[in-house]
Amino acid sequence: MEQPYVRPDVRAFLDYLAGLGRPAGHEVGPKAAREMMVASRHAFDAPARAIPVIRDVEGPVPMRLYDARAEREPGALLLFIHGGGWVIGDLETHEPFCIHVAVELDLPVVAIDYRLAPEHPFPTAFDDSLAASRWAASSPDALGRTATSLFLAGDSAGGNLAAVLSAALRDDPAAVPVAGQWLIYPAADPCVRYPSYDRFNEGFLLTKASMDWFEESYAGPRRDCRYSPLLAGVENLPPTFVLTAGLDPIRDQGRAYAARCAEAGIETIYWEAPGTIHGFINLRKVLPSANDDLARCIDYLKPWVERAR
C-alpha cells in the first residue's frame, strides 16, 4: 500500500513520542490518564491567550465561560464539548482552544464539563451535555449571557456528543435554535469499521488499544442513536461543518457523516486536514501547521456566525 503523506512537523512529533516510551492511557487507568492529558496540554499545546472573561459557571454540570468582551448584547453562543474518548479530558485540557475560538469568532464560548466514564458510563455524558445545552439556551442569570441561538462544537468523543445533541435538539428543541454544528474529527459512526480504522490505528497517536478502552469504558449500545449519531437520521439538521484529519483512524466516520448530510440537502462543509493526526487542535505548539488548520476553520465558520448575529 502506498505510504500516506505525513507533514514534517507531524512526523517529527510522532518520532518524538515513539522515543519517549511512555505508557499509554489504557495502560495506566483513568486517573493517571487524565493527569497525563492535562500535562500534555502544557507540553504540547499553544499557551492560552489572554481574554477578558474566564469564569466558572455552575449549571446542571460545571461549565466555563470564555468571552473576548466583558459585556455583550444578546446573540449566538457556542457550546463546546471536549474529547477524550468519554474517559479523559476536562475544562483545562481544551482551554487554549476554547479561548482561541472565543477571540477569533467573537462569540461567547461555554465549555461543558460532563461526567466521565468508566465511573459514569453511557448515557451520562449525553445526559449531562443535553442538560447543559438546554440550560444555556434558557439564558439563566448565572450564565450572564443572553443566547439567541446556539452553535454546538466538539472534538472526537465531544464531536460524537455534539452530533447526537444536534439530533436531539432538532427533535425536541431548546429555548433557542441550533444555528450550526462543528464536528472536529468526530466519532460520528462508531458502529462501523471503515478503511481508515485499519490503516491508521497504529503509529498515528490514536491507537486500536486506546479506542477499545474508550468504547469499553463508555459502553454505548450499538443500536442507540444517543451513541451512534447517524442512527438518528440527518434530515433537518442545522448547517454542519465536519473537520477530519488525514491520518486519523476515525477519519472515515467523519467522511460518512458529512456525505450523509450533503445527500440530505443539509448545508455542509467538509474539510480534511491532510497529513496530520487526530488531536491536532490540542497540539498547536508542537505542530505549528495546526495553527494554519485552525485559522482555515475559523474562516469557514465566520459567515455562519455573521448570519446568526
Side-chain angles (χ1 to χ4, degrees):
M1 181 179 292
E2 182 180 353
Q3 291 299 308
Y5 166 65
V6 183
R7 298 177 187 180
D9 57 353
V10 172
R11 180 75 272 158
F13 178 59
L14 292 174
D15 291 346
Y16 167 75
L17 289 181
L20 286 180
R22 68 175 187 173
H26 67 276
E27 296 173 321
V28 298
K31 183 176 183 296
R34 291 165 191 159
E35 293 169 351
M36 286 168 59
M37 191 170 184
V38 173
S40 292
R41 168 204 155 171
H42 296 288
F44 303 143
D45 201 2
R49 298 166 66 175
I51 193 171
V53 177
I54 301 178
R55 178 163 55 83
D56 288 339
V57 178
E58 286 299 327
V61 296
M63 290 178 273
R64 185 170 292 168
L65 171 68
Y66 303 94
D67 202 335
R69 303 190 192 195
E71 304 292 335
R72 186 178 288 273
E73 296 296 315
L77 181 78
L78 189 145
L79 296 175
F80 182 75
I81 310 169
H82 70 78
W86 308 279
V87 175
I88 60 179
D90 57 23
L91 298 177
E92 302 300 327
T93 56
H94 288 67
E95 183 159 274
F97 172 78
C98 288
I99 291 173
H100 187 85
V101 171
V103 172
E104 295 300 320
L105 290 180
D106 190 19
L107 276 183
V109 171
V110 176
I112 299 172
D113 195 20
Y114 58 89
R115 289 170 290 174
L116 299 172
E119 299 92 334
H120 303 283
F122 176 90
T124 303
F126 168 79
D127 290 342
D128 285 356
S129 299
L130 181 61
S133 300
R134 292 193 181 283
W135 184 83
S138 71
S139 303
D141 291 342
L143 183 59
R145 294 294 182 270
T146 299
T148 58
S149 62
L150 302 177
F151 286 94
L152 301 177
D155 68 311
S156 192
N160 166 277
L161 292 167
V164 295
L165 282 184
S166 288
L169 295 175
R170 171 200 62 193
D171 299 338
D172 184 10
V176 297
V178 177
Q181 58 171 344
W182 180 18
L183 311 181
I184 303 166
Y185 31 82
D189 196 12
C191 298
V192 178
R193 183 165 168 169
Y194 290 96
S196 63
Y197 178 88
D198 292 313
R199 190 171 189 194
F200 300 119
N201 68 18
E202 293 297 335
F204 295 98
L205 192 68
L206 183 61
T207 65
K208 180 182 184 301
S210 294
M211 290 185 283
D212 288 347
W213 179 53
F214 292 148
E215 291 176 0
E216 291 165 5
S217 297
Y218 190 48
R222 296 184 65 82
R223 302 305 302 172
D224 194 311
C225 64
R226 297 170 297 172
Y227 172 62
S228 189
L230 285 176
L231 295 178
V234 299
E235 294 73 18
N236 301 312
L237 284 177
T240 296
F241 174 22
V242 179
L243 168 67
T244 61
L247 306 176
D248 186 352
I250 66 171
R251 177 197 67 192
D252 292 353
Q253 295 187 34
R255 284 184 177 182
Y257 186 92
R260 287 278 295 276
C261 287
E263 290 164 0
I266 305 302
E267 183 180 355
T268 305
I269 298 173
Y270 175 77
W271 183 53
E272 184 171 301
T276 195
I277 52 177
H278 190 91
F280 68 81
I281 66 165
N282 299 112
L283 300 170
R284 290 182 294 126
K285 181 162 69 175
V286 292
L287 299 183
S289 65
N291 292 288
D292 296 329
D293 298 328
L294 186 51
R296 183 167 177 171
C297 292
I298 295 296
D299 287 342
Y300 284 142
L301 290 165
K302 280 181 177 178
W304 290 3
V305 172
E306 290 305 313
R307 183 171 60 194
R309 293 194 203 281

